[in-house]
Amino acid sequence: MSITGIGTDLVKIDRIQRLIHRYGERFTGKIFTLNEIAYCSKRAAPEVHFAGRFAAKEAIAKAAYQTGWMQVIPWRDIEVSSDDYGRPSVQLLTKIPGVCHVSISHDGEYALAFAIWETDHA
Ligand SMILES: CC(C)(COP(=O)(O)OP(=O)(O)OC[C@H]1O[C@@H](n2cnc3c(N)ncnc32)[C@H](O)[C@@H]1OP(=O)(O)O)[C@@H](O)C(=O)NCCC(=O)NCCS
């Protein structure tokens, strides 16, 4: 496996908060999977975690396009889930070759994500 794509994205949390207040489930349901909505909604400040996952999706898409992937990836085709320790991982409905890793951070006004794509070169 070798690294064939990297991507990063920075999101202002209050932008996501405004979209949630204005559009509610019309926004969250368009962008996030049911599992992501369940994870974020049960947190004390859901908008922080929605913003982190929003950044993650953008970072993952950037990393995928760097590998040479040419098709648009629908938002809900990317799912970021968390294990019992809080570690995020990526599940994709769009079958893009390789494996994607993601890291998320949030502090103050911003959420940030970084993604790496690894591809097996036969
Ligand atoms: C893991 C740790 C470094 C995260 O630091 P933090 O400052 O809380 O993290 P940030 O606020 O920058 O980012 C939060 C994001 O980090 C990610 N994260 C949380 N725990 C994580 C972990 N154990 N490993 C990797 N990423 C983790 C999540 O994506 C989280 O966002 P989300 O809940 O919206 O998905 C910190 O919680 C820690 O040191 N914990 C003690 C050690 C520990 O829990 N170890 C578990 C063994 S794996």
Side-chain angles (χ1 to χ4, degrees):
M1 299 284 269
S2 53
I3 294 171
T4 49
I6 61 170
T8 188
D9 197 61
L10 181 68
V11 169
K12 258 195 139 177
I13 293 167
D14 74 355
R15 179 163 74 95
I16 299 299
Q17 189 170 27
R18 281 201 304 273
L19 289 166
I20 293 169
H21 280 154
R22 186 158 180 195
Y23 299 108
E25 286 174 12
R26 272 171 61 206
F27 168 67
T28 54
K30 187 174 164 188
I31 306 293
F32 302 100
T33 68
L34 291 177
N35 289 333
E36 290 173 327
I37 292 169
Y39 176 84
C40 298
S41 300
K42 71 182 180 205
R43 310 303 295 266
E47 67 279 5
V48 169
H49 303 277
F50 278 121
R53 271 157 175 71
F54 192 94
K57 287 167 190 266
E58 299 263 46
I60 290 162
K62 286 179 191 175
Y65 297 136
Q66 269 205 354
T67 71
W69 185 259
M70 299 295 281
Q71 297 164 34
V72 172
I73 309 167
W75 291 106
R76 286 161 49 92
D77 276 16
I78 302 170
E79 180 171 273
V80 178
S81 56
S82 303
D83 70 10
D84 292 344
Y85 300 102
R87 293 178 291 207
S89 63
V90 183
Q91 290 77 42
L92 293 160
L93 287 181
T94 303
K95 292 298 168 207
I96 304 170
V99 179
C100 187
H101 310 275
V102 71
S103 183
I104 298 169
S105 182
H106 23 71
D107 191 24
E109 295 173 54
Y110 293 95
L112 173 104
F114 181 75
I116 289 179
W117 211 284
E118 282 189 293
T119 310
D120 206 357
H121 293 291

